[in-house]
Amino acid sequence: MDELVEMVIKYILTSKHLVAFTGAGVSAESGVPTFRGSNGLWKRFKPEELATPEAFRMDPLRVWEWYKWRMKIISHAKPNPAHYALAKLEKLGILKCIITQNVDGLHQKAGSQNVIELHGSIWRVKCTRCNYKGKVEKPPEKIPPKCPKCNSLLRPDVVWFGEPLPQREWSKAVSEALKCDVMLVIGTSGVVMPAALIPRIAWENRAKIIEINPEDTPISHIAYIKVSEAAGKFFSNLINLIDKHVTSKQN
Ligand code: OAD
Ligand code: ZN
């Protein structure tokens, strides 16, 4: 495993434009449930009843109850070494941006600045009628919450099944995928479109894909390096070693 860490470090440190693409698995060790897999949310809940615009129209309270429950879990979650390592790599000027499918805000909580949120954020709401958008600090006491401007229903500012991705975020993500020469793909099942195209676009443009995921995914066969380990564990090792490399360079 040490050899694998050293190899990943080599590609990270010699990269010209390093980008990370993350999914629910990067937050798993922070206690935030993933969607797929044996303990995944989609084993216990039906996406079509909770994460579609139709579901919200039919039963906004039920959808809000689910989001409130997830907000509670996320509000107690702390970033793990994978989030911190990515934030540190950005500070060092090595990592240029994170493209995430996560709505939990844990990358930002760890200190990352340049985060492209492809699926929105659980910490924002938007009005179902007017153009009001707002931030949420904690799970709302009263659900479903109402718009302060027009009193219509507010909804989480996240992307639901059947909805397009936010256009500006998508274009930025594609442009980063085209710019990068190395992409870290961390904790995603790589099956949700169009987000899952991002590593493919990078790969088709000759970027080296480094996948960190204990399971194999449809991305594994395009990966130049595959690390079959939990992200938090792997990155806590990696960041200690990177510290050593960087300090030895400075001395
Ligand atoms: P998934 O739940 O589909 O996949 C999580 C991935 O993380 C799996 O491949 C796991 O093997 C891996 N994993 C689990 N624990 C890990 C760990 N400790 N370290 C590294 N990897 C680990 O999550 P996403 O790929 O993010 O969309 O799902 C994509 C989208 O599907 C989500 O953004 C959400 C969901 O429906 C919407 O809600 C629109
Ligand atoms: Zn409104």
Side-chain angles (χ1 to χ4, degrees), residues 83-98 107-114 239 246 250:
H83 298 107
Y84 286 121
L86 294 179
K88 174 124 191 210
L89 287 172
E90 183 186 2
K91 260 199 202 94
L92 290 169
I94 298 168
L95 181 71
K96 301 302 183 284
C97 85
I98 299 173
H107 286 303
Q108 292 91 331
K109 213 170 177 182
S112 288
Q113 307 263 339
N114 199 5
I239 208 65
V246 174
Q250 283 166 348

Side-chain angles (χ1 to χ4, degrees), residues 81-247:
H83 298 107
Y84 286 121
L86 294 179
K88 174 124 191 210
L89 287 172
E90 183 186 2
K91 260 199 202 94
L92 290 169
I94 298 168
L95 181 71
K96 301 302 183 284
C97 85
I98 299 173
I99 304 166
T100 190
Q101 298 162 88
N102 299 346
V103 298
D104 58 27
L106 287 180
H107 286 303
Q108 292 91 331
K109 213 170 177 182
S112 288
Q113 307 263 339
N114 199 5
V115 183
I116 303 172
E117 295 180 315
L118 283 184
H119 290 164
S121 169
I122 205 164
W123 299 115
R124 287 195 312 261
V125 285
K126 60 181 181 186
C127 181
T128 48
R129 177 167 297 168
C130 75
N131 60 2
Y132 175 82
K133 277 195 178 215
K135 283 193 174 162
V136 224
E137 306 281 322
K138 52 181 178 33
E141 305 264 320
K142 239 183 104 190
I143 51 168
K146 300 276 179 62
C147 175
K149 260 169 90 179
C150 76
N151 210 36
S152 301
L153 281 183
L154 290 175
R155 58 163 278 183
D157 190 5
V158 299
V159 176
W160 284 329
F161 288 101
E163 292 185 316
L165 301 197
Q167 216 170 3
R168 199 143 39 101
E169 276 72 9
W170 176 249
S171 326
K172 272 204 268 177
V174 170
S175 119
E176 288 294 333
L178 291 171
K179 261 194 247 170
C180 74
D181 59 341
V182 179
M183 180 178 272
L184 302 168
V185 178
I186 312 163
T188 178
S189 57
V191 295
V192 173
M193 290 295 172
L197 290 175
I198 293 296
R200 297 208 152 262
I201 295 172
W203 176 71
E204 277 166 13
N205 210 41
R206 292 163 187 258
K208 290 203 159 62
I209 307 295
I210 303 178
E211 184 183 47
I212 299 102
N213 192 321
E215 306 288 331
D216 275 349
T217 73
I219 295 163
S220 306
H221 74 276
I222 60 165
Y224 186 72
I225 305 176
K226 162 79 190 185
V227 180
S228 299
E229 218 188 325
K233 193 165 164 251
F234 179 74
F235 276 100
S236 64
N237 264 336
L238 181 136
I239 208 65
N240 289 336
L241 290 171
I242 285 206
D243 268 341
K244 276 190 206 147
H245 276 267
V246 174
T247 5

